[in-house]
């Protein structure tokens, strides 16, 4: 195998419990986003656009949809002869079988995978963030500082800082302290979960950590603090641009809504930084006479006969006459009947909403985002009106 | 189906779509918001799982080849068989063949290497959703030498004029093949026959100085062959002129036509990785087909919009076809217009064509 400068390892094993029904049978990185994408399209496309052609995807929870979605990686141009994309589930070995015990453990158990490419550096990514980032620019920064580890950071509001892993740095951005979800944050530089390590440094640290029985085998909790305590050189790489953790129903909804303004903070129409995805190959969307569509993102294969305002429609959605959809996310192949009202909801894949249903129109808690699937009971049927 | 191999023959298709076919052949003309005409026949062949498909091209095939690539979009990038694009190139000084017979003669290897026993022939101008497996079963059932496909047209239109007609008896046998303009059975340039017989006919015709397989081997020699007819009843459009192109595009806005063409038949095309279409607050769209990657801030009525089109605020697009990546600036108006790819229409520019004769703007024009 030809030596690689950098190999990416994408952590995609998490269940994402806070996404409730959306991750009932699929892993969080496979959750739909933005009318046509799945969350994992963003880190995978970033790799392709950054010129990284070797990616290991670490799966664990419900891997079927995710691994069949990735396939041989041709949609992301990752079907390479030397390198490409590899799905890496936990496996049995001579010394027994184990699930991945933590983020660092997942890499530890795939040392052989990384070693075969003999890389100088390893890029660690997580599969639950929406952002466009040039990892190659980050690698150049990492090389310029001769860092052992570079962590991408984003400036967050002080009041939200305690939700993140916070990095405390010297003026030159060298990290002296890492605090996981600190009660009293000393800085507002939050880790984005994007790390570049020198492979020999990380390899050593993983081997040591693997032996520790009281370690939680986590990058944030164990590996980073250990490297800091050993005096390794760790730098923060400031990222400016749109970045969003979509780990909860509300944040997923909000990130979808972010796409709908006239000048969205995340531009999906940039030909120089395309987000690749598996194409469902649907005919063009049809907007019927009398339909109204505004401030929305609509995918191919949709048939719109009603009104869609400030909403995201995935492919193959049908909306009947007289229906009004506002501030909602409608996932693939949802069929919505006539005279339906839907407000501030996420309707999950393949759901059928019958005529005259009202969803989220007289909610008690305005901030709550309703999540509806075929089994949901939170619907209200209004007696059929005669016109 | 390993028994069948496909022949897509573009040799006789005239490029009568004016500006739209100045730089591309008819088969590469964009249609229905995100496809090209060739996609429909290729998708039909893909669904029937043909072992191999040969595409005989002669002129202006650069953009067609760009579109087809290695055939991956139609699942035709195979180790054995798959898609073969066969341009005319052969330098045998003793070769005396002419017309499409020359194509077939020069590519005998393509036919002989395939293990398929039957050949399915098609052009690209008749858009349809035929099931080739059904055609194959019918052909076997009839025990015919060759089975021709036709569509019975209730209301003949000018685009049907150049088409051949089939006279068919009650048992589905072809009695005559002619050009009488009032006959309703339109021959769809589509037939199935055994490969051995096909190659025999090719050889015979070349030996007799002929040049056009269908005319010389089938039409002229119909007394010597057992010719059956298969009636196709699904979606059908003939696209051989600007008028028929425009009319067929507009008819797709009729929901029944759209469903007939797309509902049961996934049509494959080259993938573009465009984002979903973004409708701004000021967008006002009705009765239109819109592909992905568009940003729409203006008004769109009764129109077909291709991938990556931008329609700015105050612009109006009515009864028009707007191809890939066109930009229509603020307050510009088009009505009964076909804009080819990459056309840029500046602010407040107004273009109005006739509903019978739409205004066609050539590729990459800046106005």
């Amino acid at each position: 195998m030809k030596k690689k400068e950098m190999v990416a390892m994408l952590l995609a094993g998490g269940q994402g419990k806070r996404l409730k029904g959306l991750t009932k049978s699929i892993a969080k990185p496979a959750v739909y986003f933005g009318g046509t994408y799945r969350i994992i399209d963003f880190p995978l496309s970033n790799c392709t656009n950054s010129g990284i052609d070797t990616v290991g995807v670490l799966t664990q929870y419900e891997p079927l949809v995710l691994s069949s979605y990735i396939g041989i990686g041709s949609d992301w141009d990752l079907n390479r002869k030397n390198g490409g994309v590899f799905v890496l589930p936990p496996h049995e070995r001579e010394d027994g079988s184990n699930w991945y015990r933590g983020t660092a453990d997942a890499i530890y158990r795939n040392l052989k995978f990384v070693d075969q490419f003999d890389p100088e550096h390893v890029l660690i990514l997580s599969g639950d963030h929406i952002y466009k980032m040039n990892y190659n620019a980050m690698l150049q920064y990492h090389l310029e500082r001769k860092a052992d580890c570079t962590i991408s950071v984003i400036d967050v509001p002080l009041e939200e800082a305690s939700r993140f892993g916070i990095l405390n740095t010297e003026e030159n951005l060298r990290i002296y302290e890492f605090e996981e979800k600190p009660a009293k944050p000393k800085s507002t530089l939050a880790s984005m979960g994007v790390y570049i390590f020198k492979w020999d440094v990380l390899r050593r640290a993983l081997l040591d950590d693997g032996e520790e029985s009281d370690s939680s085998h986590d990058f944030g909790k164990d590996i980073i603090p250990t490297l800091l305590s050993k005096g390794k050189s760790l730098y923060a790489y400031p990222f400016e641009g749109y970045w969003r953790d979509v780990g909860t129903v509300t944040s997923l909804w909000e990130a979808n809504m972010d796409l709908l303004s006239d000048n969205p903070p995340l531009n999906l129409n940039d030909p120089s930084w395309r987000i690749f995805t598996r194409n469902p190959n649907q005919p063009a969307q049809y907007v019927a006479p009398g339909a109204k569509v505004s401030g929305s993102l609509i995918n191919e294969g949709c048939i719109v006969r009603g009104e869609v305002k400030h909403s995201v429609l995935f492919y193959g959605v049908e909306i009947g006459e007289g229906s009004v959809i506002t501030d909602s996310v409608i996932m693939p192949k949802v069929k919505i009947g006539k005279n339906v009202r839907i407000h501030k909801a996420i309707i999950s894949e393949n759901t059928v909403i019958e005529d005259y249903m009202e969803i989220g129109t007289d909610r008690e808690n305005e901030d709550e985002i309703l999540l509806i699937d075929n089994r949901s009971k939170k619907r209200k049927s209004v007696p059929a009106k005669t016109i | 189906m390993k028994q069948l191999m496909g022949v897509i023959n573009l040799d006789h298709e005239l490029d009568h779509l004016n500006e739209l076919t100045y730089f591309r052949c008819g088969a590469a003309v964009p249609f229905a918001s995100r496809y090209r005409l060739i996609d429909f026949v290729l998708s039909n062949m893909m669904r029937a799982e043909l072992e191999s498909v040969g595409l005989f091209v002669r002129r202006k095939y650069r953009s067609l080849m760009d579109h087809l690539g290695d055939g991956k979009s139609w699942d035709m990038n195979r180790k054995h068989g798959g898609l073969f694009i066969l341009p005319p190139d052969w330098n045998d000084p003793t070769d005396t063949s002419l017309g499409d017979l020359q194509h077939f003669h020069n590519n005998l290897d393509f036919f002989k290497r395939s293990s398929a026993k039957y050949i399915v022939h098609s052009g690209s101008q008749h858009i349809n959703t035929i099931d080739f497996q059904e055609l194959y079963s019918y052909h076997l059932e009839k025990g015919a030498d060759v089975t021709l496909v036709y569509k019975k047209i209730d209301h003949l239109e000018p685009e049907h004029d150049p088409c051949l007609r089939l006279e068919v008896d009650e048992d589905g046998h072809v009695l005559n093949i002619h050009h009488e303009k009032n006959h309703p059975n339109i021959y769809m340039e589509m037939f199935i026959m055994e490969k051995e017989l096909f190659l025999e006919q090719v050889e015979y015709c070349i030996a007799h100085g002929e040049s056009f397989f269908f005319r010389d081997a089938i039409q002229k020699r119909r007394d010597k062959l057992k010719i059956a007819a298969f009636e196709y009843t699904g979606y059908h459009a003939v696209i051989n002129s600007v008028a028929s192109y425009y009319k067929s595009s507009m008819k797709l806005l009729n929901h029944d036509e759209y469903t007939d063409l797309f509902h049961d038949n996934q049509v494959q095309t080259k993938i573009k990785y465009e984002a979903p279409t973004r409708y701004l607050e000021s967008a006002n769209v009705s009765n239109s087909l819109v592909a992905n990657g568009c940003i729409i801030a203006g008004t769109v009525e009764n129109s077909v919009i291709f991938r990556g089109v931008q329609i700015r605020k105050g612009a109006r697009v009515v009864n028009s076809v707007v191809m890939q990546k066109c930009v229509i600036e603020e307050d510009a108006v088009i009505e009964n217009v076909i804009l080819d790819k990459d056309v840029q229409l500046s602010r407040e520019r107004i273009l109005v064509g006739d509903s019978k004769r739409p205004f066609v703007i050539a590729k990459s024009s800046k106005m």
Side-chain angles (χ1 to χ4, degrees):
Chain A
M1 215 51 96
K2 210 171 119 198
K3 187 175 168 65
K4 295 273 174 189
E5 185 173 30
M6 184 157 79
V7 165
M9 297 295 272
L10 206 164
L11 301 162
Q15 178 181 1
K17 282 202 185 86
R18 293 175 302 157
L19 285 170
K20 298 175 186 165
L22 292 172
T23 51
K24 210 179 176 75
S25 56
I26 57 173
K28 179 153 77 165
V31 167
Y32 288 106
F33 176 80
T36 191
Y37 308 99
R38 294 183 188 256
I39 298 170
I40 198 171
D41 288 332
F42 289 82
L44 284 179
S45 301
N46 288 342
C47 283
T48 300
N49 290 326
S50 304
I52 297 166
D53 64 6
T54 308
V55 184
V57 179
L58 300 136
T59 62
Q60 180 151 294
Y61 174 77
E62 288 286 353
L64 174 65
V65 169
L66 193 59
S67 53
S68 57
Y69 179 69
I70 293 170
I72 59 165
S74 49
D75 283 305
W76 301 269
D77 214 6
L78 290 171
N79 52 335
R80 318 275 15 130
K81 282 251 188 279
N82 177 26
V85 66
F86 298 80
V87 176
L88 305 169
H91 52 273
E92 194 176 4
R93 294 191 309 193
E94 201 182 22
D95 57 0
S97 52
N98 264 312
W99 296 108
Y100 295 147
R101 292 171 293 175
T103 50
D105 190 52
I107 310 293
Y108 170 66
R109 286 178 192 283
N110 289 285
L111 283 181
K112 275 189 241 167
F113 168 77
V114 182
D115 277 341
Q116 64 180 336
F117 298 102
D118 189 19
E120 285 297 310
H121 308 277
V122 168
L123 170 69
I124 309 290
L125 301 169
S126 55
D128 41 15
H129 299 138
I130 303 295
Y131 64 116
K132 299 198 291 186
M133 178 174 174
N134 189 340
Y135 304 134
N136 193 38
M138 180 175 168
L139 176 64
Q140 296 313 313
Y141 178 95
H142 172 78
L143 292 172
E144 279 162 24
R145 278 158 189 73
K146 299 192 170 56
D148 292 311
C149 169
T150 301
I151 302 174
S152 180
V153 294
I154 190 155
D155 219 0
V156 294
L158 186 63
E159 61 272 22
E160 286 181 31
S162 53
R163 286 174 40 212
F164 296 94
I166 295 297
L167 296 165
N168 299 319
T169 66
E170 290 160 16
E171 216 154 277
N172 64 358
L173 293 174
R174 182 164 174 160
I175 301 164
Y176 65 87
E177 192 183 17
F178 180 92
E179 293 182 287
E180 186 70 36
K181 296 180 183 158
K184 284 192 181 145
K186 288 177 226 155
S187 96
T188 54
L189 294 182
S191 165
M192 293 164 59
V194 175
Y195 314 105
I196 292 177
F197 289 96
K198 266 190 190 153
W199 177 230
D200 55 355
V201 172
L202 178 62
R203 198 173 189 284
R204 187 72 254 152
L206 289 174
L207 288 170
D208 294 344
D209 178 72
E211 303 296 315
E212 294 284 334
S213 53
D214 56 351
S215 168
S216 53
H217 309 291
D218 186 82
F219 277 101
K221 291 191 195 107
D222 309 290
I223 301 290
I224 307 288
T226 308
L227 291 179
L228 283 170
S229 70
K230 286 185 177 166
K232 297 285 182 195
S233 82
L234 280 75
Y235 279 88
Y237 173 72
F239 172 76
E240 276 168 25
Y242 184 86
W243 178 82
R244 194 130 198 169
D245 182 331
V246 287
T248 64
V249 172
T250 304
S251 63
L252 181 74
W253 177 85
E254 284 170 353
N256 274 291
M257 294 298 118
D258 285 345
L259 301 169
L260 301 178
S261 64
D262 281 3
N263 287 302
L266 182 74
N267 180 8
L268 296 172
N269 297 82
D270 178 3
S272 67
W273 203 271
R274 261 188 212 296
I275 305 304
F276 301 100
T277 181
R278 179 159 288 190
N279 193 301
N281 214 331
Q282 296 277 314
Q285 57 196 257
Y286 175 63
V287 182
K292 276 188 192 162
V293 182
S294 69
S296 293
L297 203 58
I298 300 187
N299 198 357
E300 286 167 337
C302 289
I303 295 171
V304 182
R305 299 177 187 286
E307 191 175 343
V308 180
K309 269 174 78 175
H310 201 252
S311 294
V312 174
L313 267 57
F314 284 74
Y315 67 89
V317 170
E318 286 180 28
I319 293 177
E321 280 169 32
S323 292
V324 182
I325 316 298
T326 46
D327 300 339
S328 294
V329 177
I330 318 289
M331 290 190 170
K333 294 183 273 182
V334 169
K335 304 278 174 273
I336 294 172
K338 293 176 186 174
N339 302 305
V340 170
R341 296 275 178 285
I342 296 177
H343 179 61
K344 263 189 139 173
I346 296 178
I347 314 288
S348 85
E349 207 178 350
N350 285 318
T351 304
V352 177
I353 310 279
E354 278 151 34
D355 298 355
Y356 296 103
M357 286 288 181
E358 298 216 354
I359 291 168
T361 42
D362 61 345
R363 66 183 67 225
E364 285 154 22
N365 181 358
E366 255 301 306
D367 292 336
E368 190 200 6
I369 306 303
L370 291 177
L371 179 63
I372 306 292
D373 57 34
N374 270 332
R375 291 174 295 273
S376 300
K377 301 231 158 54
K378 280 184 181 169
R379 295 188 219 157
K380 195 172 102 186
S381 176
V382 173
K385 290 166 192 160
T386 45
I387 299 161
Chain B
M1 189 177 268
K2 296 275 181 216
Q3 287 286 1
L4 306 180
M5 69 189 297
V7 168
I8 302 175
N9 185 1
L10 307 181
D11 212 56
H12 313 285
E13 297 190 344
L14 299 171
D15 303 334
H16 280 335
L17 273 71
N18 303 349
E19 286 87 344
L20 301 181
T21 47
Y22 281 175
F23 304 107
R24 57 166 89 89
C25 57
V29 167
F31 183 67
S33 266
R34 62 192 293 275
Y35 303 97
R36 295 193 185 237
L37 296 187
I38 191 83
D39 291 341
F40 296 90
V41 55
L42 278 177
S43 299
N44 292 346
M45 289 188 169
M46 174 185 159
R47 275 195 297 280
E49 296 171 16
L50 270 56
E51 188 197 66
S52 52
V53 173
L55 183 69
F56 293 95
V57 296
R58 194 177 288 277
R59 293 167 296 265
K60 298 191 276 193
Y61 49 79
R62 204 268 323 149
S63 76
L64 189 68
M65 306 241 302
D66 177 33
H67 178 70
L68 297 170
D70 63 352
K72 183 180 189 299
S73 300
W74 302 269
D75 203 17
M76 289 184 185
N77 56 336
R78 317 312 304 247
K79 284 254 185 278
H80 185 78
L83 181 67
F84 295 82
I85 302 167
L86 303 165
D89 178 34
W90 184 254
N91 297 300
D92 175 2
T94 64
D95 178 24
T96 57
S97 56
L98 298 163
D100 62 4
L101 292 167
Q102 187 178 40
H103 266 322
F104 300 144
H105 173 74
N106 294 352
N107 291 287
L108 283 178
D109 282 353
F110 162 70
F111 293 100
K112 288 186 173 159
R113 276 184 196 152
S114 170
S115 58
K117 203 173 164 207
Y118 292 87
I119 281 174
V120 172
H121 174 284
S122 176
S124 74
Q125 293 180 328
H126 292 256
I127 309 287
N128 64 81
T129 61
I130 194 166
D131 178 347
F132 286 122
Q133 307 238 21
E134 197 186 324
L135 173 64
Y136 172 65
S137 310
Y138 180 87
H139 177 69
L140 293 187
E141 190 189 303
K142 286 280 157 192
D145 292 321
V146 53
T147 299
L148 311 181
V149 181
Y150 72 97
K151 168 92 181 176
K152 189 164 183 268
I153 307 281
D154 296 334
H155 302 284
L156 288 164
E157 302 270 347
E159 67 264 26
H160 298 120
D161 283 358
C163 302
L164 284 170
R165 320 291 154 133
L166 303 183
E167 253 173 54
V168 181
D169 72 9
E170 287 157 3
D171 299 328
H173 291 112
V174 173
L175 299 174
N176 206 346
I177 303 168
H178 56 64
H179 229 128
E180 288 174 22
K181 285 198 168 55
N182 295 324
H183 197 282
N185 295 345
I186 298 289
Y187 169 57
M188 286 168 57
E189 308 268 327
M190 204 181 267
F191 64 78
I192 181 168
M193 73 192 296
E194 226 172 291
K195 181 168 80 181
E196 281 311 312
L197 180 62
F198 173 80
L199 294 178
E200 262 169 44
Q201 298 284 328
V202 168
E203 227 165 88
Y204 178 88
C205 288
I206 291 171
H208 288 78
E210 312 275 28
S211 60
F212 181 176
F213 183 83
F214 184 79
R215 184 192 64 199
D216 301 327
I218 296 177
Q219 191 178 0
K220 279 191 195 164
R221 305 181 69 212
R222 64 170 199 284
D223 304 336
K224 301 200 171 53
L225 296 167
K226 189 176 175 200
I227 306 179
F230 175 85
E231 187 182 1
Y232 166 75
T233 53
Y235 175 93
H236 178 252
V238 188
I239 294 178
N240 53 10
S241 62
V242 170
S244 59
Y245 175 83
Y246 180 68
K247 188 167 64 187
S248 303
S249 297
M250 291 297 129
K251 273 169 92 176
L252 278 179
L253 300 175
N254 172 333
H255 196 68
D256 291 342
E257 292 254 339
Y258 174 90
T259 311
D260 282 351
L261 181 54
F262 294 114
H263 192 268
D264 297 321
N265 313 285
Q266 207 181 43
V267 184
Q268 308 290 330
T269 189
K270 184 181 175 184
I271 292 170
K272 289 278 161 76
Y273 302 101
E274 294 277 7
T277 279
R278 198 145 57 84
Y279 294 83
L280 273 50
E281 286 301 328
S282 53
N284 182 2
V285 178
S286 80
N287 198 36
S288 293
L289 283 180
V290 185
N292 271 357
C294 300
I295 300 176
I296 300 179
T299 299
V300 180
E301 279 169 43
N302 309 323
S303 293
V304 177
I305 311 293
F306 283 70
R307 292 185 274 199
V309 168
Q310 297 191 27
I311 298 170
R312 303 261 153 85
K313 227 172 173 171
R316 263 170 61 83
V317 173
V318 184
N319 302 329
S320 293
V321 176
V322 181
M323 292 189 198
Q324 212 181 312
K325 295 211 160 75
C326 287
V327 180
I328 297 169
E329 296 282 358
E330 285 172 30
D331 303 316
V333 177
I334 59 172
E335 201 174 326
N336 306 323
V337 172
I338 299 172
L339 298 186
D340 202 335
K341 286 171 72 177
D342 296 314
V343 171
Q344 304 215 0
L345 203 64
S346 56
R347 276 164 165 262
E348 295 173 33
R349 171 74 58 168
I350 297 173
L351 291 179
V352 181
D354 185 272
S355 61
K356 291 276 178 303
R357 290 194 58 188
F359 207 164
V360 184
I361 308 296
K363 192 174 160 179
S364 305
S365 309
K366 284 192 172 49
M367 310 200 61

